[in-house]
Amino acid sequence: MIRLLERVGRPFLIAVEESGRIILLLISAITWMLRPPFRFRLIFKQMEFVGVNSIFVVLITGIFTGMVFALQSYYGFKMFGGESLVGATVALGLTRELGPVFTALMVTGRVGSAMTAELGTMKVTEQIDALHSMSVNPIHYLVMPRIVAAIFMLPVLTIVSDFVGILGGYFVGVEMLKINSGIFIAKIVEFVDLEDIFNGLIKAACFGLILSLIGCYKGIRTTGGAEGVGKATTQSVVLSSVTIFISDYFLTSFMF
């Protein structure tokens, strides 16, 4: 019985311990954000890596998400003559949910994994220990710029995703399915509020914090050489993706 309890309780204790360490890393990163020297060069470099270099994959994901969503919405609304609502449905779905979530998942796969692999390689090759020996705090030098860049760039990428997604929905709805162009746009204006867009961007910033924090945490905790770097990268992507979905539920509950 005791062994059974130990077997069941051990994963729970490990999860609690990991959560505590991630929260401590977040507190430390926030503390370093407020202390000089402010490493703007490193932050801008990470913003380029997180934002500019992710635009292509976000464009592709966003436009096809909007096109598929418009197609599915049209067939659903057609059953009761509500085809005019396709534009508003696509715009609301993208700005509130699909834009922030799909953008975060794409960035997690491209950027979060790269953060873990880069920091993990630095950890196993003792480069992070070398920073300590030079009196450079690794959280200030490595972690803080990545978190700041992700928090600022995820909303920007989400705006791009929302815009091209609505364009994709417009193309499918108006050009392919022959919905009246004026009605398509008028319903978007009627049903989509600025609050929907802003709340979606707040969610995107939260997802940026999550994926960068977990990516950096898994990286600086890596052990076991090259094999350990691979395992940490996989764990980072899985944990970040699951956490994004869970947090999306709670953020949606509070905001909408």
Side-chain angles (χ1 to χ4, degrees), residues 93-139:
L94 285 170
T95 54
R96 284 186 171 196
E97 288 297 331
L98 299 181
V101 172
F102 281 7
T103 300
L105 293 178
M106 290 298 105
V107 175
T108 296
R110 200 194 76 80
V111 174
S113 59
M115 288 180 180
T116 304
E118 185 180 4
L119 297 185
T121 302
M122 294 180 70
K123 180 68 167 55
V124 299
T125 55
E126 300 181 350
Q127 293 179 58
I128 292 180
D129 295 331
L131 289 176
H132 277 296
S133 66
M134 293 186 292
S135 300
V136 176
N137 188 289
I139 295 175

mmCIF file of all heavy atoms in Angstrom, residues 93-139:
data_model
loop_
_atom_site.group_PDB
_atom_site.id
_atom_site.type_symbol
_atom_site.label_atom_id
_atom_site.label_comp_id
_atom_site.label_asym_id
_atom_site.label_seq_id
_atom_site.Cartn_x
_atom_site.Cartn_y
_atom_site.Cartn_z
ATOM 1 N N GLY A 93 -13.504 34.148 -34.126
ATOM 2 C CA GLY A 93 -12.732 32.952 -33.789
ATOM 3 C C GLY A 93 -11.242 33.190 -33.849
ATOM 4 O O GLY A 93 -10.488 32.710 -32.988
ATOM 5 N N LEU A 94 -10.797 33.961 -34.827
ATOM 6 C CA LEU A 94 -9.363 34.222 -34.969
ATOM 7 C C LEU A 94 -8.848 35.168 -33.889
ATOM 8 O O LEU A 94 -7.817 34.914 -33.270
ATOM 9 C CB LEU A 94 -9.079 34.807 -36.351
ATOM 10 C CG LEU A 94 -9.137 33.812 -37.516
ATOM 11 C CD1 LEU A 94 -9.089 34.548 -38.842
ATOM 12 C CD2 LEU A 94 -7.982 32.820 -37.437
ATOM 13 N N THR A 95 -9.559 36.287 -33.675
ATOM 14 C CA THR A 95 -9.050 37.278 -32.721
ATOM 15 C C THR A 95 -9.112 36.793 -31.279
ATOM 16 O O THR A 95 -8.230 37.101 -30.483
ATOM 17 C CB THR A 95 -9.833 38.589 -32.839
ATOM 18 O OG1 THR A 95 -11.239 38.310 -32.706
ATOM 19 C CG2 THR A 95 -9.583 39.250 -34.168
ATOM 20 N N ARG A 96 -10.149 36.029 -30.957
ATOM 21 C CA ARG A 96 -10.298 35.578 -29.568
ATOM 22 C C ARG A 96 -9.454 34.335 -29.264
ATOM 23 O O ARG A 96 -8.854 34.230 -28.191
ATOM 24 C CB ARG A 96 -11.760 35.247 -29.283
ATOM 25 C CG ARG A 96 -12.650 36.456 -29.088
ATOM 26 C CD ARG A 96 -14.022 36.002 -28.659
ATOM 27 N NE ARG A 96 -14.883 37.094 -28.257
ATOM 28 C CZ ARG A 96 -16.006 36.932 -27.571
ATOM 29 N NH1 ARG A 96 -16.407 35.730 -27.230
ATOM 30 N NH2 ARG A 96 -16.751 37.966 -27.236
ATOM 31 N N GLU A 97 -9.449 33.355 -30.181
ATOM 32 C CA GLU A 97 -8.865 32.053 -29.846
ATOM 33 C C GLU A 97 -7.773 31.580 -30.801
ATOM 34 O O GLU A 97 -6.634 31.376 -30.404
ATOM 35 C CB GLU A 97 -9.982 30.997 -29.815
ATOM 36 C CG GLU A 97 -10.909 31.113 -28.625
ATOM 37 C CD GLU A 97 -10.175 30.885 -27.324
ATOM 38 O OE1 GLU A 97 -9.178 30.130 -27.328
ATOM 39 O OE2 GLU A 97 -10.571 31.485 -26.317
ATOM 40 N N LEU A 98 -8.179 31.380 -32.068
ATOM 41 C CA LEU A 98 -7.287 30.660 -32.975
ATOM 42 C C LEU A 98 -6.004 31.430 -33.263
ATOM 43 O O LEU A 98 -4.922 30.825 -33.354
ATOM 44 C CB LEU A 98 -8.033 30.344 -34.277
ATOM 45 C CG LEU A 98 -9.266 29.450 -34.118
ATOM 46 C CD1 LEU A 98 -9.912 29.192 -35.475
ATOM 47 C CD2 LEU A 98 -8.888 28.128 -33.469
ATOM 48 N N GLY A 99 -6.105 32.734 -33.403
ATOM 49 C CA GLY A 99 -4.906 33.526 -33.673
ATOM 50 C C GLY A 99 -3.873 33.408 -32.557
ATOM 51 O O GLY A 99 -2.724 33.003 -32.805
ATOM 52 N N PRO A 100 -4.238 33.764 -31.304
ATOM 53 C CA PRO A 100 -3.252 33.657 -30.216
ATOM 54 C C PRO A 100 -2.749 32.229 -29.980
ATOM 55 O O PRO A 100 -1.542 32.028 -29.793
ATOM 56 C CB PRO A 100 -4.043 34.163 -28.987
ATOM 57 C CG PRO A 100 -5.157 34.966 -29.536
ATOM 58 C CD PRO A 100 -5.505 34.376 -30.856
ATOM 59 N N VAL A 101 -3.656 31.251 -29.997
ATOM 60 C CA VAL A 101 -3.245 29.878 -29.650
ATOM 61 C C VAL A 101 -2.359 29.272 -30.743
ATOM 62 O O VAL A 101 -1.283 28.727 -30.445
ATOM 63 C CB VAL A 101 -4.488 28.994 -29.418
ATOM 64 C CG1 VAL A 101 -4.071 27.529 -29.251
ATOM 65 C CG2 VAL A 101 -5.252 29.459 -28.186
ATOM 66 N N PHE A 102 -2.787 29.359 -31.997
ATOM 67 C CA PHE A 102 -1.990 28.765 -33.072
ATOM 68 C C PHE A 102 -0.649 29.479 -33.231
ATOM 69 O O PHE A 102 0.374 28.842 -33.498
ATOM 70 C CB PHE A 102 -2.763 28.793 -34.389
ATOM 71 C CG PHE A 102 -3.789 27.699 -34.507
ATOM 72 C CD1 PHE A 102 -4.083 26.874 -33.441
ATOM 73 C CD2 PHE A 102 -4.472 27.487 -35.690
ATOM 74 C CE1 PHE A 102 -5.019 25.868 -33.536
ATOM 75 C CE2 PHE A 102 -5.411 26.477 -35.813
ATOM 76 C CZ PHE A 102 -5.691 25.664 -34.722
ATOM 77 N N THR A 103 -0.634 30.788 -33.046
ATOM 78 C CA THR A 103 0.638 31.516 -33.109
ATOM 79 C C THR A 103 1.580 31.049 -32.001
ATOM 80 O O THR A 103 2.771 30.812 -32.240
ATOM 81 C CB THR A 103 0.387 33.031 -32.971
ATOM 82 O OG1 THR A 103 -0.462 33.460 -34.035
ATOM 83 C CG2 THR A 103 1.683 33.800 -33.039
ATOM 84 N N ALA A 104 1.032 30.915 -30.798
ATOM 85 C CA ALA A 104 1.868 30.461 -29.679
ATOM 86 C C ALA A 104 2.405 29.057 -29.922
ATOM 87 O O ALA A 104 3.574 28.766 -29.624
ATOM 88 C CB ALA A 104 1.051 30.501 -28.387
ATOM 89 N N LEU A 105 1.584 28.173 -30.471
ATOM 90 C CA LEU A 105 2.049 26.800 -30.719
ATOM 91 C C LEU A 105 3.139 26.780 -31.793
ATOM 92 O O LEU A 105 4.117 26.025 -31.681
ATOM 93 C CB LEU A 105 0.868 25.923 -31.138
ATOM 94 C CG LEU A 105 -0.190 25.667 -30.062
ATOM 95 C CD1 LEU A 105 -1.325 24.821 -30.624
ATOM 96 C CD2 LEU A 105 0.420 24.966 -28.845
ATOM 97 N N MET A 106 2.970 27.583 -32.838
ATOM 98 C CA MET A 106 3.994 27.643 -33.881
ATOM 99 C C MET A 106 5.311 28.195 -33.332
ATOM 100 O O MET A 106 6.395 27.682 -33.623
ATOM 101 C CB MET A 106 3.506 28.529 -35.045
ATOM 102 C CG MET A 106 2.377 27.937 -35.873
ATOM 103 S SD MET A 106 2.856 26.394 -36.688
ATOM 104 C CE MET A 106 1.997 25.208 -35.664
ATOM 105 N N VAL A 107 5.211 29.255 -32.522
ATOM 106 C CA VAL A 107 6.419 29.853 -31.947
ATOM 107 C C VAL A 107 7.052 28.897 -30.931
ATOM 108 O O VAL A 107 8.281 28.843 -30.806
ATOM 109 C CB VAL A 107 6.085 31.222 -31.309
ATOM 110 C CG1 VAL A 107 7.301 31.808 -30.600
ATOM 111 C CG2 VAL A 107 5.605 32.192 -32.384
ATOM 112 N N THR A 108 6.224 28.145 -30.221
ATOM 113 C CA THR A 108 6.776 27.156 -29.288
ATOM 114 C C THR A 108 7.614 26.133 -30.042
ATOM 115 O O THR A 108 8.724 25.774 -29.617
ATOM 116 C CB THR A 108 5.633 26.435 -28.545
ATOM 117 O OG1 THR A 108 4.930 27.388 -27.755
ATOM 118 C CG2 THR A 108 6.173 25.334 -27.646
ATOM 119 N N GLY A 109 7.078 25.652 -31.160
ATOM 120 C CA GLY A 109 7.810 24.649 -31.928
ATOM 121 C C GLY A 109 9.099 25.190 -32.520
ATOM 122 O O GLY A 109 10.102 24.486 -32.574
ATOM 123 N N ARG A 110 9.091 26.453 -32.944
ATOM 124 C CA ARG A 110 10.281 27.000 -33.603
ATOM 125 C C ARG A 110 11.235 27.678 -32.621
ATOM 126 O O ARG A 110 12.441 27.459 -32.656
ATOM 127 C CB ARG A 110 9.866 28.021 -34.669
ATOM 128 C CG ARG A 110 10.919 28.289 -35.720
ATOM 129 C CD ARG A 110 10.605 29.536 -36.533
ATOM 130 N NE ARG A 110 10.881 30.742 -35.789
ATOM 131 C CZ ARG A 110 12.090 31.273 -35.624
ATOM 132 N NH1 ARG A 110 13.135 30.684 -36.153
ATOM 133 N NH2 ARG A 110 12.264 32.368 -34.925
ATOM 134 N N VAL A 111 10.671 28.497 -31.725
ATOM 135 C CA VAL A 111 11.512 29.327 -30.853
ATOM 136 C C VAL A 111 11.734 28.688 -29.478
ATOM 137 O O VAL A 111 12.862 28.657 -28.980
ATOM 138 C CB VAL A 111 10.874 30.726 -30.679
ATOM 139 C CG1 VAL A 111 11.648 31.554 -29.675
ATOM 140 C CG2 VAL A 111 10.796 31.435 -32.015
ATOM 141 N N GLY A 112 10.641 28.170 -28.867
ATOM 142 C CA GLY A 112 10.788 27.579 -27.535
ATOM 143 C C GLY A 112 11.772 26.424 -27.542
ATOM 144 O O GLY A 112 12.617 26.304 -26.639
ATOM 145 N N SER A 113 11.683 25.578 -28.563
ATOM 146 C CA SER A 113 12.615 24.453 -28.655
ATOM 147 C C SER A 113 14.045 24.943 -28.870
ATOM 148 O O SER A 113 14.998 24.388 -28.303
ATOM 149 C CB SER A 113 12.192 23.530 -29.793
ATOM 150 O OG SER A 113 12.175 24.234 -31.018
ATOM 151 N N ALA A 114 14.206 26.004 -29.686
ATOM 152 C CA ALA A 114 15.551 26.539 -29.938
ATOM 153 C C ALA A 114 16.151 27.138 -28.668
ATOM 154 O O ALA A 114 17.356 26.999 -28.413
ATOM 155 C CB ALA A 114 15.483 27.591 -31.044
ATOM 156 N N MET A 115 15.297 27.812 -27.856
ATOM 157 C CA MET A 115 15.786 28.364 -26.585
ATOM 158 C C MET A 115 16.314 27.252 -25.688
ATOM 159 O O MET A 115 17.408 27.355 -25.106
ATOM 160 C CB MET A 115 14.658 29.105 -25.865
ATOM 161 C CG MET A 115 14.261 30.429 -26.480
ATOM 162 S SD MET A 115 12.918 31.192 -25.529
ATOM 163 C CE MET A 115 12.657 32.706 -26.469
ATOM 164 N N THR A 116 15.538 26.180 -25.578
ATOM 165 C CA THR A 116 15.963 25.073 -24.718
ATOM 166 C C THR A 116 17.240 24.433 -25.248
ATOM 167 O O THR A 116 18.170 24.150 -24.472
ATOM 168 C CB THR A 116 14.848 24.010 -24.647
ATOM 169 O OG1 THR A 116 13.652 24.616 -24.205
ATOM 170 C CG2 THR A 116 15.228 22.894 -23.686
ATOM 171 N N ALA A 117 17.298 24.196 -26.549
ATOM 172 C CA ALA A 117 18.485 23.552 -27.122
ATOM 173 C C ALA A 117 19.728 24.422 -26.946
ATOM 174 O O ALA A 117 20.805 23.914 -26.588
ATOM 175 C CB ALA A 117 18.236 23.276 -28.607
ATOM 176 N N GLU A 118 19.567 25.739 -27.159
ATOM 177 C CA GLU A 118 20.723 26.634 -27.043
ATOM 178 C C GLU A 118 21.223 26.721 -25.607
ATOM 179 O O GLU A 118 22.423 26.561 -25.342
ATOM 180 C CB GLU A 118 20.346 28.028 -27.557
ATOM 181 C CG GLU A 118 21.505 28.999 -27.587
ATOM 182 C CD GLU A 118 21.092 30.374 -28.106
ATOM 183 O OE1 GLU A 118 19.889 30.582 -28.366
ATOM 184 O OE2 GLU A 118 21.974 31.237 -28.253
ATOM 185 N N LEU A 119 20.288 26.968 -24.674
ATOM 186 C CA LEU A 119 20.697 27.078 -23.268
ATOM 187 C C LEU A 119 21.149 25.725 -22.730
ATOM 188 O O LEU A 119 22.066 25.650 -21.901
ATOM 189 C CB LEU A 119 19.545 27.634 -22.420
ATOM 190 C CG LEU A 119 19.078 29.048 -22.765
ATOM 191 C CD1 LEU A 119 18.026 29.520 -21.766
ATOM 192 C CD2 LEU A 119 20.247 30.020 -22.785
ATOM 193 N N GLY A 120 20.496 24.641 -23.189
ATOM 194 C CA GLY A 120 20.895 23.308 -22.743
ATOM 195 C C GLY A 120 22.307 22.979 -23.192
ATOM 196 O O GLY A 120 23.103 22.412 -22.424
ATOM 197 N N THR A 121 22.652 23.342 -24.418
ATOM 198 C CA THR A 121 24.014 23.117 -24.912
ATOM 199 C C THR A 121 25.025 23.937 -24.107
ATOM 200 O O THR A 121 26.115 23.442 -23.764
ATOM 201 C CB THR A 121 24.094 23.493 -26.397
ATOM 202 O OG1 THR A 121 23.138 22.723 -27.130
ATOM 203 C CG2 THR A 121 25.476 23.224 -26.951
ATOM 204 N N MET A 122 24.649 25.179 -23.800
ATOM 205 C CA MET A 122 25.537 26.013 -22.974
ATOM 206 C C MET A 122 25.710 25.423 -21.579
ATOM 207 O O MET A 122 26.789 25.511 -20.987
ATOM 208 C CB MET A 122 24.968 27.431 -22.876
ATOM 209 C CG MET A 122 24.954 28.201 -24.181
ATOM 210 S SD MET A 122 24.279 29.869 -24.007
ATOM 211 C CE MET A 122 25.585 30.644 -23.052
ATOM 212 N N LYS A 123 24.628 24.797 -21.060
ATOM 213 C CA LYS A 123 24.718 24.218 -19.712
ATOM 214 C C LYS A 123 25.642 22.991 -19.691
ATOM 215 O O LYS A 123 26.504 22.879 -18.820
ATOM 216 C CB LYS A 123 23.305 23.822 -19.257
ATOM 217 C CG LYS A 123 23.242 23.206 -17.872
ATOM 218 C CD LYS A 123 23.577 24.238 -16.805
ATOM 219 C CE LYS A 123 23.205 23.745 -15.405
ATOM 220 N NZ LYS A 123 23.797 22.486 -15.045
ATOM 221 N N VAL A 124 25.437 22.076 -20.640
ATOM 222 C CA VAL A 124 26.229 20.834 -20.613
ATOM 223 C C VAL A 124 27.687 21.073 -21.019
ATOM 224 O O VAL A 124 28.556 20.252 -20.706
ATOM 225 C CB VAL A 124 25.593 19.748 -21.502
ATOM 226 C CG1 VAL A 124 24.194 19.397 -21.030
ATOM 227 C CG2 VAL A 124 25.563 20.170 -22.967
ATOM 228 N N THR A 125 27.954 22.164 -21.747
ATOM 229 C CA THR A 125 29.345 22.479 -22.094
ATOM 230 C C THR A 125 29.958 23.476 -21.103
ATOM 231 O O THR A 125 31.036 24.032 -21.372
ATOM 232 C CB THR A 125 29.424 23.076 -23.519
ATOM 233 O OG1 THR A 125 28.558 24.220 -23.610
ATOM 234 C CG2 THR A 125 29.020 22.042 -24.559
ATOM 235 N N GLU A 126 29.260 23.710 -19.986
ATOM 236 C CA GLU A 126 29.750 24.523 -18.870
ATOM 237 C C GLU A 126 29.963 26.001 -19.232
ATOM 238 O O GLU A 126 30.706 26.699 -18.559
ATOM 239 C CB GLU A 126 31.043 23.929 -18.299
ATOM 240 C CG GLU A 126 30.843 22.505 -17.767
ATOM 241 C CD GLU A 126 32.107 21.925 -17.171
ATOM 242 O OE1 GLU A 126 33.168 22.555 -17.344
ATOM 243 O OE2 GLU A 126 32.023 20.862 -16.533
ATOM 244 N N GLN A 127 29.310 26.469 -20.303
ATOM 245 C CA GLN A 127 29.415 27.897 -20.639
ATOM 246 C C GLN A 127 28.660 28.751 -19.626
ATOM 247 O O GLN A 127 29.050 29.891 -19.342
ATOM 248 C CB GLN A 127 28.853 28.144 -22.049
ATOM 249 C CG GLN A 127 29.662 27.507 -23.161
ATOM 250 C CD GLN A 127 29.052 27.771 -24.531
ATOM 251 O OE1 GLN A 127 28.865 28.907 -24.933
ATOM 252 N NE2 GLN A 127 28.741 26.711 -25.255
ATOM 253 N N ILE A 128 27.559 28.201 -19.089
ATOM 254 C CA ILE A 128 26.809 28.947 -18.068
ATOM 255 C C ILE A 128 27.634 29.056 -16.781
ATOM 256 O O ILE A 128 27.643 30.104 -16.121
ATOM 257 C CB ILE A 128 25.450 28.269 -17.815
ATOM 258 C CG1 ILE A 128 24.554 28.429 -19.057
ATOM 259 C CG2 ILE A 128 24.753 28.873 -16.597
ATOM 260 C CD1 ILE A 128 23.186 27.809 -18.932
ATOM 261 N N ASP A 129 28.357 27.992 -16.443
ATOM 262 C CA ASP A 129 29.251 28.068 -15.277
ATOM 263 C C ASP A 129 30.340 29.121 -15.512
ATOM 264 O O ASP A 129 30.766 29.810 -14.564
ATOM 265 C CB ASP A 129 29.883 26.702 -15.022
ATOM 266 C CG ASP A 129 28.844 25.661 -14.636
ATOM 267 O OD1 ASP A 129 27.812 26.056 -14.048
ATOM 268 O OD2 ASP A 129 29.060 24.467 -14.910
ATOM 269 N N ALA A 130 30.796 29.233 -16.757
ATOM 270 C CA ALA A 130 31.812 30.244 -17.070
ATOM 271 C C ALA A 130 31.270 31.658 -16.846
ATOM 272 O O ALA A 130 32.002 32.544 -16.392
ATOM 273 C CB ALA A 130 32.273 30.082 -18.517
ATOM 274 N N LEU A 131 29.966 31.862 -17.167
ATOM 275 C CA LEU A 131 29.356 33.174 -16.911
ATOM 276 C C LEU A 131 29.381 33.490 -15.421
ATOM 277 O O LEU A 131 29.680 34.622 -15.013
ATOM 278 C CB LEU A 131 27.913 33.196 -17.429
ATOM 279 C CG LEU A 131 27.719 33.212 -18.945
ATOM 280 C CD1 LEU A 131 26.225 33.126 -19.289
ATOM 281 C CD2 LEU A 131 28.302 34.483 -19.553
ATOM 282 N N HIS A 132 29.069 32.475 -14.596
ATOM 283 C CA HIS A 132 29.126 32.666 -13.142
ATOM 284 C C HIS A 132 30.529 33.096 -12.712
ATOM 285 O O HIS A 132 30.698 34.002 -11.891
ATOM 286 C CB HIS A 132 28.738 31.366 -12.433
ATOM 287 C CG HIS A 132 27.268 31.162 -12.311
ATOM 288 N ND1 HIS A 132 26.454 31.995 -11.567
ATOM 289 C CD2 HIS A 132 26.459 30.203 -12.832
ATOM 290 C CE1 HIS A 132 25.197 31.569 -11.635
ATOM 291 N NE2 HIS A 132 25.178 30.480 -12.401
ATOM 292 N N SER A 133 31.539 32.419 -13.263
ATOM 293 C CA SER A 133 32.921 32.717 -12.869
ATOM 294 C C SER A 133 33.335 34.128 -13.283
ATOM 295 O O SER A 133 34.251 34.707 -12.695
ATOM 296 C CB SER A 133 33.873 31.689 -13.486
ATOM 297 O OG SER A 133 33.897 31.820 -14.899
ATOM 298 N N MET A 134 32.668 34.706 -14.300
ATOM 299 C CA MET A 134 32.967 36.082 -14.733
ATOM 300 C C MET A 134 32.029 37.096 -14.070
ATOM 301 O O MET A 134 31.919 38.240 -14.529
ATOM 302 C CB MET A 134 32.845 36.184 -16.261
ATOM 303 C CG MET A 134 33.909 35.396 -17.010
ATOM 304 S SD MET A 134 33.863 35.668 -18.799
ATOM 305 C CE MET A 134 32.320 34.881 -19.239
ATOM 306 N N SER A 135 31.301 36.637 -13.047
ATOM 307 C CA SER A 135 30.365 37.511 -12.303
ATOM 308 C C SER A 135 29.232 38.025 -13.179
ATOM 309 O O SER A 135 28.728 39.142 -12.990
ATOM 310 C CB SER A 135 31.110 38.696 -11.667
ATOM 311 O OG SER A 135 32.084 38.247 -10.775
ATOM 312 N N VAL A 136 28.845 37.251 -14.191
ATOM 313 C CA VAL A 136 27.694 37.592 -15.030
ATOM 314 C C VAL A 136 26.551 36.654 -14.651
ATOM 315 O O VAL A 136 26.705 35.433 -14.715
ATOM 316 C CB VAL A 136 28.013 37.444 -16.531
ATOM 317 C CG1 VAL A 136 26.768 37.717 -17.372
ATOM 318 C CG2 VAL A 136 29.146 38.375 -16.925
ATOM 319 N N ASN A 137 25.421 37.241 -14.241
ATOM 320 C CA ASN A 137 24.288 36.418 -13.846
ATOM 321 C C ASN A 137 23.613 35.821 -15.087
ATOM 322 O O ASN A 137 23.143 36.574 -15.950
ATOM 323 C CB ASN A 137 23.280 37.250 -13.057
ATOM 324 C CG ASN A 137 22.178 36.387 -12.468
ATOM 325 O OD1 ASN A 137 21.332 35.882 -13.192
ATOM 326 N ND2 ASN A 137 22.208 36.217 -11.163
ATOM 327 N N PRO A 138 23.517 34.496 -15.212
ATOM 328 C CA PRO A 138 22.924 33.878 -16.419
ATOM 329 C C PRO A 138 21.456 34.245 -16.622
ATOM 330 O O PRO A 138 20.993 34.345 -17.753
ATOM 331 C CB PRO A 138 23.078 32.377 -16.154
ATOM 332 C CG PRO A 138 24.124 32.261 -15.128
ATOM 333 C CD PRO A 138 24.028 33.478 -14.286
ATOM 334 N N ILE A 139 20.731 34.448 -15.535
ATOM 335 C CA ILE A 139 19.315 34.811 -15.689
ATOM 336 C C ILE A 139 19.197 36.208 -16.297
ATOM 337 O O ILE A 139 18.369 36.457 -17.157
ATOM 338 C CB ILE A 139 18.603 34.738 -14.328
ATOM 339 C CG1 ILE A 139 18.606 33.278 -13.835
ATOM 340 C CG2 ILE A 139 17.183 35.258 -14.429
ATOM 341 C CD1 ILE A 139 18.052 33.091 -12.456
#
